[in-house]
Amino acid sequence: IIADCTGHGVPGAFMSMLGVAFLNEIVSKNANISANEILNELRSHVINSLHQTGKEGESQDGMDVAMLIIDKDKTKVDFAGANNPLIIIRDGELIELKGDKMPIGIHTRVGESFSSKDHDLKKGDMLYAFSDGYPDQFGGPKGKKFMIKRFKQLLLTIHNKTLKEQKAILDKALDDWMENTHQIDDILVMGIRI
């Protein structure tokens, strides 16, 4: 799971602690639960524990999530996303499994279930899940955001390298982009080689 909590400082830390506790509880009760069911239950726990009703002025805290369950025997991934996608790169081709456009927390679509996307995997595939921190980072010659399109292109150019080399390239590309700009958000990128 990749999760990015809204709010910084104490609210973000509190949401992180709640999220970890709830996820442990959800998964320990049902080992065969699907990715979207985990997100549905997590959202319900967050809304109930924060007493969110959607009224104006109340806390809108929550999180964006990419949830992956990898079945090694069947070589499949079960993916569900709350605002976050999963990128699979296979033989130079980028496949994007989009998350649902709603967070873990109160939202106008709170009555809708998160969707689950199963995808066959094959040896050598690279899976990437990430927060919005990297694409949203300001920098470059015009002080603009890095952007998701540029981020996907970068992943395409590095996916055949070792994970250690990929990390070094991602770090350097971000440092070069930021130059004299401060980091504006948490940055989390996870890569898995099948």
Side-chain angles (χ1 to χ4, degrees), residues 71-186:
D71 185 329
K72 292 178 184 177
D73 296 329
K74 294 180 181 172
T75 325
K76 282 181 162 286
V77 64
D78 175 18
F79 166 75
N83 286 324
N84 286 356
L86 171 65
I87 302 291
I88 302 170
I89 300 182
R90 173 182 299 157
D91 302 325
E93 178 191 354
L94 187 143
I95 302 156
E96 181 176 3
L97 304 183
K98 293 185 186 265
D100 294 299
K101 296 235 178 262
M102 53 187 173
I104 299 297
I106 199 72
H107 187 265
T108 56
R109 295 178 59 193
V110 75
E112 297 177 37
S113 176
F114 286 96
S115 57
S116 204
K117 296 173 176 86
D118 290 330
H119 196 82
D120 291 326
L121 300 172
K122 78 181 223 193
K123 189 172 172 51
D125 284 354
M126 269 304 305
L127 279 57
Y128 297 100
F130 46 91
S131 69
D132 62 357
Y134 203 115
D136 283 355
Q137 179 59 49
F138 288 98
K142 296 181 180 176
K144 303 276 186 183
K145 287 184 179 183
F146 194 82
M147 300 302 286
I148 191 70
K149 183 177 179 182
R150 185 179 286 118
F151 183 62
K152 288 177 187 177
Q153 189 58 46
L154 178 57
L155 294 178
L156 270 169
T157 62
I158 67 172
H159 79 279
N160 281 327
K161 299 188 179 303
T162 68
L163 294 178
K164 188 175 181 180
E165 289 172 317
Q166 289 186 47
K167 181 185 182 313
I169 293 167
L170 286 169
D171 287 346
K172 182 173 182 345
L174 186 65
D175 286 344
D176 290 350
W177 180 257
M178 286 172 47
E179 207 169 347
N180 297 319
T181 310
H182 296 290
Q183 184 175 327
I184 60 162
D185 198 2
D186 301 330

Side-chain angles (χ1 to χ4, degrees), residues 3-126:
D4 185 14
C5 299
T6 58
H8 293 276
V10 173
F14 179 67
M15 184 59 62
S16 296
M17 289 174 21
L18 275 179
V20 169
F22 290 149
L23 285 166
N24 285 332
E25 179 184 333
I26 293 164
V27 174
S28 69
K29 286 182 180 175
N30 184 352
N32 296 319
I33 193 168
S34 66
N36 70 316
E37 290 170 334
I38 291 171
L39 293 191
N40 289 334
E41 285 197 37
L42 180 59
R43 175 176 58 193
S44 178
H45 284 318
V46 167
I47 289 170
N48 290 334
S49 70
L50 298 179
H51 308 292
Q52 293 178 331
T53 63
K55 290 181 185 165
E56 193 173 323
E58 95 182 347
S59 165
Q60 298 292 312
D61 288 340
M63 60 185 88
D64 294 338
V65 174
M67 176 80 221
L68 294 73
I69 301 173
I70 298 174
D71 185 329
K72 292 178 184 177
D73 296 329
K74 294 180 181 172
T75 325
K76 282 181 162 286
V77 64
D78 175 18
F79 166 75
N83 286 324
N84 286 356
L86 171 65
I87 302 291
I88 302 170
I89 300 182
R90 173 182 299 157
D91 302 325
E93 178 191 354
L94 187 143
I95 302 156
E96 181 176 3
L97 304 183
K98 293 185 186 265
D100 294 299
K101 296 235 178 262
M102 53 187 173
I104 299 297
I106 199 72
H107 187 265
T108 56
R109 295 178 59 193
V110 75
E112 297 177 37
S113 176
F114 286 96
S115 57
S116 204
K117 296 173 176 86
D118 290 330
H119 196 82
D120 291 326
L121 300 172
K122 78 181 223 193
K123 189 172 172 51
D125 284 354
M126 269 304 305

